Every structure is written in C-alpha cells, then in structure tokens.
Amino acid sequence: MTQDDFNLLSTIGNTPLIELAKLPGPDDARVLVKLESKNPTGSSKDRSALSMIEEAERSGRLKPGQRVVEASGGSTGTALAMICALKGYACTIVTSDAFADEKLKTIQAFGATLDIIPSVHGKATYPELFDLMHARVEELGRIPGNHYLHQMKNPANPRAYNAMGREILAQTGGAVDAFTMTCGSGGCFSGTMEVFRAHRPEILGIAVEPAGYRHISGGPKGVHHIDGVGDGPPGELFRYEFVDGIEAVTDDEAYDMARRLAREEGIFGGKSAAANVVAALRVARRLGKGRTVTTVICDTGYKYLSGDLFTI
C-alpha cells in the first residue's frame, strides 16, 4: 500500500454500473447506468475537474499560490472547490442565484469564493445569464495570479472521460450498443464515445438536449429547467461526428423520471441524469431485447432537495 491508496482523489472514477430492473419493458434492450453520484462530491464532474487541474499543474500554467477561477452552475464548481481545498489553491466560482441553493452552499463549504451573477426571477434559463457569467470569469482570468481553466475549451475535460468509456467496456465485457448523454460542454459524451468508437465503430452515440432549448440540433434559446445543459451551443470540445441521433427531453419528462428512478429503482439522481435515462429508455425500445444501452447518473438528487424536483 502507498500513501496514494489513502488519498481522496484516488477514489474518483471506477464507479458502479447498475442495470435498471423495472423501468425497461420486457422486450426492450437492457439499460445500464453509471452511478457517478458515487464520486467524492456526488458528480461525474470530479473526473473533469481533476483532469483539468492536474494538466494545468503538469504544464506549469498552474503554480502554488495561484487562484483557480471557473464559471459553473454547481457540479463543476463543487468538484473544483473540493480539489483546490486538497491541493491548497484558492478558488473562485462564478455562478448565479438561479442555481440550486444546495450547490452554492456546497461550493462554499469547501472554502471556495462565490462570485454571484444575479438572475431574473431566479431562472437559470435566462439566456443572457450565461453570457454574463462567462464574461465575468474571463475578466477574472485576466487578473495576475488567477488561472482560468476554461472548461468549455479545455481538452483535459473530455480526456477525463476516456476512463469512463474504458470502465464501462470492462464492466460489460465490451457488450455496449448505445450510449445516451446530455451535453453541456460535451466533455462526457465526446470523451466516452471516443473510447467506444475505437472499440467498436457501430456503437451508437445519442446526444440528449432539453426540448425547451434544442442547443445541439439548433433551436432558439428557450426556457428549460434541466440544470447543467442547454446553457448555449456545445463548444469546440463537442465531437459532432460521434452523434448518431439526438433526443429532446422536456422538463416534465425529466422531473417525472427523476422521481421514478428514486421510487422504482432506488437511484437518487438529478435532472440531467433523469433526462439521460428518458433517452436511454427510448433507445432501448427501438433496439430491442438482447442489446445494451448505457447512460450516466451524472449527479445526486441531494443537490435538488430545496427545489420542486422532489416535492412531497
């Protein structure tokens, strides 16, 4: 055993892959979900946050005494705050009062500073909000001593999810037919599909977008409440060549699925995780029995308890 074996950061990744027992129909493909809620901060973003920090360290762009700055609606910010706490960096997350209070409090709990951009009526889907957030973090990134990770353009973001692809292939013995994933930066979709396509080119990549703002297929900026996706068109990291289909999911479908996952499958996930499963079940019906669809429970439902997702 080495000291690294007892390091919290070593627990990131290698998460369980669970088969849904009740939601798929008897003639559907099986649906396997990657429980990324088992990562230290309860999110798949632990993977990309660690990858971006460590790459910046290796390249010499991030040095002791510097401050890490990034814009985030919650999960990336939480992951960065935790990692910066362990590594000794100051951290500022540009965010908004539109996002779940649990997320903002968690970022602060790890010692990071919040730079809050006010929203209009507490709506995260106010289109200009994200432009304001990105403008603010760009401004902070120009201050000497600050290091802006720029998750939307940082190749260490999708590279982190190559490991997820390898894990799923190992857990299934390579028996994967399709992968469904909501896309913000597109890091998880692109990094996982890169590994899948290298393994077998026939594996389908299904990108998932909010029906209220079809940011991948190209639609007007509308209102939706699926946190973490649809903040704007995917950036330069998104690998469109891996997209074999696009599934649009409504707020109501995502909310209903989050509740069903908890009550029928015992899986406690957030809104984008539920949208992933909505799309996965559609694909499972089309592919039919004997095939395998994989997707991701990208964060935990504990981040949404103060809102209207899990109402009594």
Short mmCIF file of all heavy atoms in Angstrom, two decimals, residues 179-183 189 204-209 214-216 238 240 242-249 276 279:
data_model
loop_
_atom_site.label_atom_id
_atom_site.label_comp_id
_atom_site.label_asym_id
_atom_site.label_seq_id
_atom_site.Cartn_x
_atom_site.Cartn_y
_atom_site.Cartn_z
N PHE A 179 -24.98 4.65 -26.31
CA PHE A 179 -24.67 5.50 -25.16
C PHE A 179 -25.46 6.78 -25.30
O PHE A 179 -25.42 7.45 -26.34
CB PHE A 179 -23.17 5.81 -25.13
CG PHE A 179 -22.73 6.73 -24.03
CD1 PHE A 179 -22.81 6.35 -22.70
CD2 PHE A 179 -22.18 7.98 -24.33
CE1 PHE A 179 -22.39 7.20 -21.67
CE2 PHE A 179 -21.75 8.83 -23.32
CZ PHE A 179 -21.84 8.44 -21.99
N THR A 180 -26.23 7.14 -24.26
CA THR A 180 -27.00 8.39 -24.28
C THR A 180 -26.45 9.33 -23.22
O THR A 180 -26.14 8.92 -22.10
CB THR A 180 -28.50 8.14 -24.01
OG1 THR A 180 -28.70 7.73 -22.65
CG2 THR A 180 -29.05 7.07 -24.95
N MET A 181 -26.35 10.63 -23.58
CA MET A 181 -25.74 11.58 -22.64
C MET A 181 -26.17 13.00 -22.94
O MET A 181 -26.11 13.46 -24.09
CB MET A 181 -24.21 11.49 -22.73
CG MET A 181 -23.47 12.31 -21.71
SD MET A 181 -23.75 11.71 -20.02
CE MET A 181 -23.52 13.22 -19.08
N THR A 182 -26.63 13.70 -21.89
CA THR A 182 -26.88 15.14 -22.01
C THR A 182 -25.55 15.86 -22.20
O THR A 182 -24.50 15.39 -21.75
CB THR A 182 -27.56 15.68 -20.74
OG1 THR A 182 -26.86 15.16 -19.58
CG2 THR A 182 -29.01 15.28 -20.67
N CYS A 183 -25.60 17.01 -22.87
CA CYS A 183 -24.36 17.69 -23.24
C CYS A 183 -24.38 19.15 -22.83
O CYS A 183 -25.28 19.90 -23.23
CB CYS A 183 -24.14 17.59 -24.74
SG CYS A 183 -24.05 15.89 -25.34
N PHE A 189 -19.83 13.18 -23.14
CA PHE A 189 -20.26 12.49 -24.36
C PHE A 189 -19.07 12.22 -25.27
O PHE A 189 -18.86 11.08 -25.73
CB PHE A 189 -21.30 13.33 -25.10
CG PHE A 189 -21.73 12.75 -26.42
CD1 PHE A 189 -22.74 11.80 -26.48
CD2 PHE A 189 -21.11 13.15 -27.61
CE1 PHE A 189 -23.12 11.24 -27.69
CE2 PHE A 189 -21.49 12.60 -28.82
CZ PHE A 189 -22.50 11.65 -28.87
N LEU A 204 -23.70 3.25 -30.97
CA LEU A 204 -24.44 4.48 -31.27
C LEU A 204 -24.20 5.55 -30.20
O LEU A 204 -24.24 5.27 -29.00
CB LEU A 204 -25.93 4.18 -31.32
CG LEU A 204 -26.41 3.19 -32.39
CD1 LEU A 204 -27.90 2.91 -32.23
CD2 LEU A 204 -26.11 3.71 -33.79
N GLY A 205 -23.97 6.76 -30.65
CA GLY A 205 -23.86 7.90 -29.75
C GLY A 205 -25.12 8.74 -29.84
O GLY A 205 -25.42 9.29 -30.91
N ILE A 206 -25.86 8.84 -28.75
CA ILE A 206 -27.12 9.58 -28.73
C ILE A 206 -26.96 10.79 -27.81
O ILE A 206 -26.84 10.64 -26.58
CB ILE A 206 -28.29 8.70 -28.26
CG1 ILE A 206 -28.36 7.39 -29.06
CG2 ILE A 206 -29.60 9.49 -28.34
CD1 ILE A 206 -28.59 7.58 -30.54
N ALA A 207 -26.94 11.97 -28.39
CA ALA A 207 -26.83 13.20 -27.62
C ALA A 207 -28.22 13.62 -27.13
O ALA A 207 -29.20 13.49 -27.86
CB ALA A 207 -26.21 14.31 -28.47
N VAL A 208 -28.27 14.12 -25.90
CA VAL A 208 -29.55 14.48 -25.28
C VAL A 208 -29.57 15.98 -25.01
O VAL A 208 -28.61 16.54 -24.47
CB VAL A 208 -29.76 13.70 -23.96
CG1 VAL A 208 -31.13 14.00 -23.37
CG2 VAL A 208 -29.58 12.19 -24.20
N GLU A 209 -30.69 16.61 -25.40
CA GLU A 209 -30.82 18.06 -25.22
C GLU A 209 -32.19 18.38 -24.63
O GLU A 209 -33.13 17.59 -24.74
CB GLU A 209 -30.67 18.77 -26.57
CG GLU A 209 -31.74 18.42 -27.59
CD GLU A 209 -31.52 19.06 -28.95
OE1 GLU A 209 -30.49 19.73 -29.14
OE2 GLU A 209 -32.39 18.86 -29.83
N ARG A 214 -33.17 23.48 -27.93
CA ARG A 214 -32.50 22.41 -28.66
C ARG A 214 -31.14 22.91 -29.13
O ARG A 214 -30.92 23.20 -30.29
CB ARG A 214 -33.41 21.93 -29.79
CG ARG A 214 -34.78 21.47 -29.27
CD ARG A 214 -35.48 20.55 -30.22
NE ARG A 214 -34.73 19.31 -30.40
CZ ARG A 214 -35.17 18.28 -31.12
NH1 ARG A 214 -36.35 18.34 -31.71
NH2 ARG A 214 -34.44 17.20 -31.25
N HIS A 215 -30.22 22.94 -28.17
CA HIS A 215 -28.93 23.58 -28.39
C HIS A 215 -27.98 22.77 -29.26
O HIS A 215 -27.00 23.31 -29.77
CB HIS A 215 -28.26 23.90 -27.04
CG HIS A 215 -27.85 22.70 -26.24
ND1 HIS A 215 -28.72 21.71 -25.87
CD2 HIS A 215 -26.64 22.34 -25.74
CE1 HIS A 215 -28.07 20.80 -25.17
NE2 HIS A 215 -26.80 21.15 -25.08
N ILE A 216 -28.25 21.48 -29.43
CA ILE A 216 -27.40 20.65 -30.28
C ILE A 216 -27.95 20.62 -31.70
O ILE A 216 -27.22 20.83 -32.68
CB ILE A 216 -27.29 19.22 -29.72
CG1 ILE A 216 -26.71 19.25 -28.31
CG2 ILE A 216 -26.41 18.35 -30.64
CD1 ILE A 216 -26.76 17.92 -27.60
N PHE A 238 -16.99 19.51 -28.38
CA PHE A 238 -18.05 18.56 -28.71
C PHE A 238 -17.76 17.88 -30.05
O PHE A 238 -17.55 18.55 -31.07
CB PHE A 238 -19.39 19.28 -28.77
CG PHE A 238 -20.57 18.36 -28.91
CD1 PHE A 238 -20.84 17.41 -27.96
CD2 PHE A 238 -21.42 18.47 -30.00
CE1 PHE A 238 -21.94 16.56 -28.09
CE2 PHE A 238 -22.52 17.63 -30.14
CZ PHE A 238 -22.77 16.67 -29.18
N TYR A 240 -19.18 16.26 -32.87
CA TYR A 240 -20.42 16.03 -33.62
C TYR A 240 -20.36 14.75 -34.44
O TYR A 240 -21.40 14.14 -34.73
CB TYR A 240 -20.72 17.23 -34.52
CG TYR A 240 -21.31 18.42 -33.80
CD1 TYR A 240 -20.48 19.44 -33.33
CD2 TYR A 240 -22.68 18.54 -33.59
CE1 TYR A 240 -21.01 20.55 -32.67
CE2 TYR A 240 -23.21 19.63 -32.93
CZ TYR A 240 -22.38 20.64 -32.48
OH TYR A 240 -22.90 21.72 -31.82
N PHE A 242 -19.54 11.96 -33.57
CA PHE A 242 -19.95 10.81 -32.77
C PHE A 242 -21.47 10.77 -32.56
O PHE A 242 -21.97 9.85 -31.91
CB PHE A 242 -19.26 10.83 -31.41
CG PHE A 242 -17.78 10.62 -31.45
CD1 PHE A 242 -16.97 11.11 -30.43
CD2 PHE A 242 -17.17 9.93 -32.48
CE1 PHE A 242 -15.60 10.93 -30.45
CE2 PHE A 242 -15.80 9.73 -32.51
CZ PHE A 242 -15.01 10.24 -31.50
N VAL A 243 -22.19 11.75 -33.07
CA VAL A 243 -23.63 11.84 -32.85
C VAL A 243 -24.39 11.08 -33.93
O VAL A 243 -24.37 11.45 -35.10
CB VAL A 243 -24.11 13.31 -32.82
CG1 VAL A 243 -25.62 13.38 -32.64
CG2 VAL A 243 -23.40 14.09 -31.71
N ASP A 244 -25.05 10.00 -33.52
CA ASP A 244 -25.88 9.22 -34.44
C ASP A 244 -27.36 9.59 -34.32
O ASP A 244 -28.16 9.23 -35.18
CB ASP A 244 -25.71 7.72 -34.16
CG ASP A 244 -24.29 7.26 -34.41
OD1 ASP A 244 -23.84 7.32 -35.56
OD2 ASP A 244 -23.63 6.86 -33.43
N GLY A 245 -27.70 10.26 -33.25
CA GLY A 245 -29.08 10.68 -33.04
C GLY A 245 -29.14 11.67 -31.90
O GLY A 245 -28.22 11.76 -31.08
N ILE A 246 -30.22 12.44 -31.88
CA ILE A 246 -30.43 13.44 -30.83
C ILE A 246 -31.82 13.22 -30.23
O ILE A 246 -32.80 13.11 -30.97
CB ILE A 246 -30.31 14.87 -31.39
CG1 ILE A 246 -28.92 15.10 -31.99
CG2 ILE A 246 -30.60 15.90 -30.30
CD1 ILE A 246 -28.79 16.42 -32.75
N GLU A 247 -31.86 13.16 -28.91
CA GLU A 247 -33.14 13.01 -28.21
C GLU A 247 -33.41 14.28 -27.41
O GLU A 247 -32.58 14.72 -26.62
CB GLU A 247 -33.09 11.81 -27.27
CG GLU A 247 -33.01 10.46 -27.96
CD GLU A 247 -34.29 10.10 -28.70
OE1 GLU A 247 -35.38 10.59 -28.30
OE2 GLU A 247 -34.20 9.33 -29.67
N ALA A 248 -34.58 14.87 -27.63
CA ALA A 248 -35.01 16.05 -26.87
C ALA A 248 -35.92 15.60 -25.73
O ALA A 248 -36.85 14.82 -25.93
CB ALA A 248 -35.73 17.03 -27.77
N VAL A 249 -35.65 16.10 -24.53
CA VAL A 249 -36.39 15.70 -23.33
C VAL A 249 -37.01 16.95 -22.69
O VAL A 249 -36.33 17.96 -22.50
CB VAL A 249 -35.46 15.00 -22.32
CG1 VAL A 249 -36.22 14.66 -21.03
CG2 VAL A 249 -34.86 13.74 -22.94
N ASN A 276 -31.04 11.71 -19.17
CA ASN A 276 -30.24 10.64 -19.77
C ASN A 276 -31.03 9.33 -19.82
O ASN A 276 -31.00 8.60 -20.82
CB ASN A 276 -28.96 10.42 -18.97
CG ASN A 276 -27.93 11.50 -19.15
OD1 ASN A 276 -27.99 12.28 -20.09
ND2 ASN A 276 -26.98 11.57 -18.23
N ALA A 279 -33.93 9.26 -22.40
CA ALA A 279 -33.41 8.97 -23.74
C ALA A 279 -32.97 7.53 -23.86
O ALA A 279 -33.21 6.88 -24.89
CB ALA A 279 -32.24 9.91 -24.05
#
